[in-house]
Amino acid sequence: MHKYVLLTIVCLLMGFVAEAQEFNIENEYAKQRKRYPFISPYRADSVDVNEIINIEYKKADNRSLQLDIFLPQNANAQMPTLCIVHGGGWRSGNKTMDWPIAKSLANRGIACVCVDYRKSDVALYPAALNDVEDALKWIYDNAEAYHFDRNCINVSGTSAGGQLAALAGARNISGIIKHVIDIDGVLAFIHPDSSEGHDKPGKKSAATLWLGCPVDSCRELWNSASALYNVGEKSADFLFINSAQKRFSAGQNEMIDELNRHGHSAEVQKTTDTPHTFWLFNPWAPQVVEWMAEYLLKK
């Protein structure tokens, strides 16, 4: 049996489930407004889009994995398409959290697809990565039905979703990913600037819970899940959008060098004095949308 499958079974049997508050906009707003009292949850700047909700793209572990599509009204031509992967520490969150950004981008002529994936309480790495890559394949296979441009399929993600998007784009196994927009997603789990894998007595980190074993025991596995160590000739081009939290840029300079060395472009947009989840809130989210739209539409 594959070693990763064995790790999944062992960890699930031992009950390695994170004890954390559910990651959603309401809880995150209550948390962040204590330091940033001026913020408010971002709402889409237009709702004049066509919504197609809860389409099954695969079954896994007796679960239906679904996606949501947001298209400009009266779409009748191929459009640049963005798969958006939500955050939540690989164990929480859901695809509805990215709806405001997806709707705003759809209003600008970009087809958006928000996807769910298996969390660490159900299946360990690389299950979530496989799900994201299968969602991208579904987008490619169903391009004609939804006016997706097969030559401009892109992937983005926030936090844990950014890590998954970056890893999928660095690998680009199918070769269909044109661009990646990584919003504060981990690029290197093992790095001097990273704080991933810092377990506490009786409480494992989100990364350990997802990867299935502590960093000191499984360094090869942890590196295999790091986009930095998967850059190659097939990798996509990248846009990095970062908060003011330094640890979410860990390995970014090295990855840009690797991307450039293999002939790929990389751009960076940074915000100042922002929490990790800045993309969920005003006043920062509108700028995030503008950066994303400008990057995808100029390509």
Side-chain angles (χ1 to χ4, degrees):
M1 187 178 293
H2 196 283
K3 64 180 180 180
Y4 296 158
V5 175
L6 284 173
L7 280 171
T8 298
I9 294 172
V10 169
C11 288
L12 292 176
L13 287 175
M14 294 180 68
F16 287 165
V17 179
E19 295 180 2
Q21 187 179 48
E22 173 70 17
F23 180 60
N24 57 45
I25 294 176
E26 292 75 17
N27 290 338
E28 191 64 17
Y29 177 53
K31 172 184 173 182
Q32 296 299 341
R33 69 182 300 189
K34 296 174 183 177
R35 179 175 178 183
Y36 304 93
F38 53 86
I39 67 173
S40 62
Y42 177 63
R43 309 299 181 194
D45 54 11
S46 172
V47 294
D48 188 24
V49 298
N50 184 22
E51 304 177 11
I52 309 169
I53 307 302
N54 293 331
I55 300 175
E56 180 177 282
Y57 70 90
K58 70 179 284 188
K59 282 187 180 294
D61 297 323
N62 296 316
R63 292 170 179 263
S64 172
L65 296 178
Q66 300 179 340
L67 52 79
D68 304 327
I69 299 173
F70 299 89
L71 304 171
Q73 288 286 358
N74 303 316
N76 56 11
Q78 292 181 321
M79 295 168 289
T81 302
L82 182 65
C83 176
I84 306 179
V85 189
H86 71 81
W90 307 280
R91 70 185 186 276
S92 188
N94 64 77
K95 58 186 169 60
T96 67
M97 298 184 70
D98 296 316
W99 282 9
I101 285 179
K103 292 178 182 180
S104 293
L105 290 173
N107 187 50
R108 288 160 172 76
I110 299 167
C112 290
V113 183
C114 298
V115 303
D116 266 334
Y117 52 89
R118 284 171 289 177
K119 313 299 191 298
S120 62
D121 61 339
V122 173
L124 303 185
Y125 169 82
L129 173 64
N130 295 338
D131 295 342
V132 171
E133 292 179 337
D134 285 343
L136 286 160
K137 183 178 184 300
W138 185 96
I139 291 169
Y140 183 88
D141 290 343
N142 291 273
E144 292 184 9
Y146 298 100
H147 303 291
F148 302 147
D149 184 352
R150 282 198 176 100
N151 295 315
C152 193
I153 293 176
N154 314 279
V155 62
S156 179
T158 55
S159 192
Q163 182 274 327
L164 287 166
L167 182 55
R171 287 159 44 95
N172 205 4
I173 298 299
S174 64
I176 66 175
I177 303 172
K178 188 173 183 181
H179 305 104
V180 175
I181 302 178
D182 175 14
I183 303 176
D184 248 17
V186 173
L187 298 172
F189 284 101
I190 302 174
H191 189 277
D193 295 331
S194 175
S195 64
E196 301 299 326
H198 290 181
D199 298 341
K200 298 178 181 179
K203 185 177 181 181
K204 291 176 169 52
S205 71
T208 299
L209 288 166
W210 182 51
L211 292 166
C213 61
V215 61
D216 292 340
S217 303
C218 302
R219 295 181 69 86
E220 181 181 351
L221 176 65
W222 283 58
N223 283 335
S224 77
S226 300
L228 172 60
Y229 302 114
N230 283 271
V231 175
E233 298 300 325
K234 295 181 67 174
S235 296
D237 295 333
F238 272 71
L239 168 63
F240 302 101
I241 302 178
N242 292 113
S243 69
Q245 311 302 311
K246 182 179 178 180
R247 68 189 182 94
F248 293 103
S249 300
Q252 188 177 97
N253 291 336
E254 295 96 319
M255 184 159 176
I256 290 172
D257 289 343
E258 278 296 293
L259 287 165
N260 292 163
R261 188 170 71 84
H262 285 91
H264 311 299
S265 68
E267 301 178 22
V268 180
Q269 298 286 0
K270 289 186 179 291
T271 58
T272 58
D273 190 26
T274 49
H276 170 48
T277 52
F278 64 101
W279 66 87
L280 292 174
F281 304 112
N282 295 310
W284 310 295
Q287 179 63 78
V288 172
V289 170
E290 290 303 320
W291 281 332
M292 296 174 77
E294 179 182 0
Y295 180 72
L296 294 174
L297 293 175
K298 75 179 180 181
K299 300 298 181 181

